[in-house]
Amino acid sequence: METDLAKRMRADLLMGEFEHGQWLRLNELERRYSVSRFEVRKALAALAAIGALEHIENHGYRLPLADPEKDAHHREARLVLELGAAPNVYYRATMDDLVRLYELARKFAQAIEVPSLIEAQVANDEFHRGFFALCGNPVLAQMIDEMRELVRPYSRHPYSTDENRRMSSAEHFEMLDCIERKNLPGLLDAMRRHLYRASIAPIVDRTAPAHLARRTPG
């Protein structure tokens, strides 16, 4: 289970406070967060359990090395899963569902305006889980959630700039607006952009015909 300290550390990871491949020293973390060594060890184990850190036996914990190829493969898989689920969300969502999702989108928009991004990450996760829960397939929704966690360690820090945070928020609202206005192509386009922007390598979009396949800008 993720501890309070693990949540604080994960928010710092998202902000780019640590570098890819950086080793995390217990004594430095104790001083940084003003906590005991026991709390640090517990948080590191929790973060390693969800793939946010790597545990190297007899060496300690480090951030995963930036891996553009792995990032692209994970995001390609996520693209296939999420765009495959999107039409079901589009056709199944009721106005009550949209009201709840708009509330979660506003929660994220408010959370990104404060220095600590712990609540922003929580709100972002709640939005995406709530969105894909509407697809009507709990197995698919769980696969999407797990894939989102796999992508994070190898990608660029999505909340490292004000612009990135606000673009993410705007895309949440755009996705919901497209559902409300019965614009499925617009929804799929917004979801593609939401994934492309955080990638550190080109993503081949295999959800479209070959001559329409898109890649992230170089």
Side-chain angles (χ1 to χ4, degrees), residues 23 25 41 54-61:
W23 290 95
R25 308 299 178 188
R41 289 184 183 276
E54 294 177 340
H55 182 216
I56 311 299
E57 191 173 357
N58 299 323
H59 287 83
Y61 294 87

Side-chain angles (χ1 to χ4, degrees), residues 85-86 88-90 92-93 97 100-101 104 125-142 144-145:
N88 284 355
V89 175
Y90 174 84
R92 291 170 56 89
D97 293 328
R100 285 191 292 272
L101 289 174
L104 293 175
D125 289 344
E126 288 177 346
F127 174 84
H128 285 277
R129 286 175 185 142
F131 184 91
F132 288 108
L134 298 178
C135 76
N137 185 329
V139 175
L140 179 56
Q142 182 177 347
I144 290 171
D145 190 49

Side-chain angles (χ1 to χ4, degrees), residues 88-115:
N88 284 355
V89 175
Y90 174 84
Y91 288 114
R92 291 170 56 89
T94 66
M95 283 307 301
D96 286 342
D97 293 328
L98 288 177
V99 166
R100 285 191 292 272
L101 289 174
Y102 274 119
E103 289 175 354
L104 293 175
R106 284 191 290 271
K107 182 178 178 181
F108 176 78
Q110 293 167 358
I112 62 174
E113 299 301 332
V114 299

Side-chain angles (χ1 to χ4, degrees), residues 12-216:
D12 285 345
L13 295 177
L14 292 169
M15 281 291 290
E17 294 292 327
F18 302 98
E19 298 297 326
H20 286 294
Q22 179 179 340
W23 290 95
L24 301 180
R25 308 299 178 188
L26 294 177
N27 59 340
E28 294 174 0
L29 295 174
E30 288 176 52
R31 290 194 298 270
R32 179 187 181 102
Y33 295 103
S34 300
V35 294
S36 67
R37 181 155 298 197
F38 173 78
E39 290 176 288
V40 171
R41 289 184 183 276
K42 192 173 179 181
L44 291 173
L47 291 172
I50 63 173
L53 297 177
E54 294 177 340
H55 182 216
I56 311 299
E57 191 173 357
N58 299 323
H59 287 83
Y61 294 87
R62 73 176 183 186
L63 274 71
L65 295 169
D67 190 333
E69 183 177 11
K70 185 173 289 188
D71 174 74
H73 289 165
H74 282 164
R75 288 186 182 279
E76 181 185 336
R78 182 178 164 187
L79 191 72
V80 171
L81 290 173
E82 294 192 12
L83 295 190
N88 284 355
V89 175
Y90 174 84
Y91 288 114
R92 291 170 56 89
T94 66
M95 283 307 301
D96 286 342
D97 293 328
L98 288 177
V99 166
R100 285 191 292 272
L101 289 174
Y102 274 119
E103 289 175 354
L104 293 175
R106 284 191 290 271
K107 182 178 178 181
F108 176 78
Q110 293 167 358
I112 62 174
E113 299 301 332
V114 299
S116 172
L117 291 179
I118 296 174
E119 291 304 318
Q121 184 58 56
V122 171
N124 188 60
D125 289 344
E126 288 177 346
F127 174 84
H128 285 277
R129 286 175 185 142
F131 184 91
F132 288 108
L134 298 178
C135 76
N137 185 329
V139 175
L140 179 56
Q142 182 177 347
M143 290 175 66
I144 290 171
D145 190 49
E146 291 172 351
M147 185 56 62
R148 291 181 66 248
E149 291 293 338
L150 282 174
V151 166
R152 285 173 178 162
Y154 304 99
S155 63
R156 74 169 68 144
H157 307 293
Y159 300 155
S160 57
T161 68
D162 289 341
E163 181 183 8
N164 277 350
R165 294 191 287 273
R166 288 170 182 154
M167 286 178 68
S168 288
S169 179
E171 286 159 355
H172 289 167
F173 286 105
E174 183 180 355
M175 289 160 59
L176 301 181
D177 289 346
C178 286
I179 295 177
E180 187 173 4
R181 296 173 183 173
K182 306 301 182 185
N183 181 1
L184 180 56
L187 171 63
L188 298 178
D189 183 65
M191 292 174 66
R192 285 187 177 95
R193 282 185 277 110
H194 202 57
L195 275 171
Y196 290 153
R197 189 168 37 77
S199 178
I200 58 175
I203 306 171
V204 176
D205 184 355
R206 303 184 197 277
T207 64
H211 67 288
L212 297 178
R214 296 172 55 185
R215 292 174 179 265
T216 50

